[in-house]
Amino acid sequence: MCGKTSEDGRYLLAIEFRGADDCNQIFVRDLSRSHSTFFPVVQGFDAYYVLFASEGSKLWFRTNWQAGRGQIIEIDLSHPEEPVRRTIVAEREGILERA
């Protein structure tokens, strides 16, 4: 497991890996709320997620979730009980290696 903060320091991400797989799970804690706890954002070890940017309650990830060649998604944490996912750059013919 490793940790990472969002660019503005508001969110702490706990990133859990399983063995040598590239797949991970992500749990988030809102550090702007004094008694917040970690909540799941990505579960199931079904893909990899790499955080590369954030702004306010929105986090942007490069991932292969439902996109073997990669895509960019946004996860909005404004409602932590049910984070909203949105595809920003869909899978294309080439492989998305960096964002």
Side-chain angles (χ1 to χ4, degrees), residues 72-91:
I72 294 175
I73 65 167
E74 171 188 278
I75 298 180
D76 188 344
L77 304 176
S78 56
H79 300 285
E81 64 281 355
E82 196 170 324
V84 176
R85 284 186 189 212
R86 183 169 72 108
T87 300
I88 303 299
V89 177
E91 180 178 31

Side-chain angles (χ1 to χ4, degrees), residues 41-80:
V41 174
V42 172
Q43 289 184 286
F45 294 108
D46 60 351
Y48 69 78
Y49 296 81
V50 178
L51 177 71
F52 69 89
S54 64
E55 184 176 313
S57 65
K58 296 178 180 177
L59 306 176
W60 290 282
F61 295 89
R62 180 176 58 89
T63 181
N64 65 348
W65 174 72
Q66 296 183 347
R69 293 186 303 269
Q71 66 175 331
I72 294 175
I73 65 167
E74 171 188 278
I75 298 180
D76 188 344
L77 304 176
S78 56
H79 300 285

Side-chain angles (χ1 to χ4, degrees), residues 25-45:
Q25 297 189 124
I26 299 176
F27 301 86
V28 175
R29 181 176 175 205
D30 185 346
L31 298 175
S32 71
R33 297 176 43 212
S34 59
H35 295 290
S36 68
T37 59
F38 281 97
F39 58 91
V41 174
V42 172
Q43 289 184 286
F45 294 108

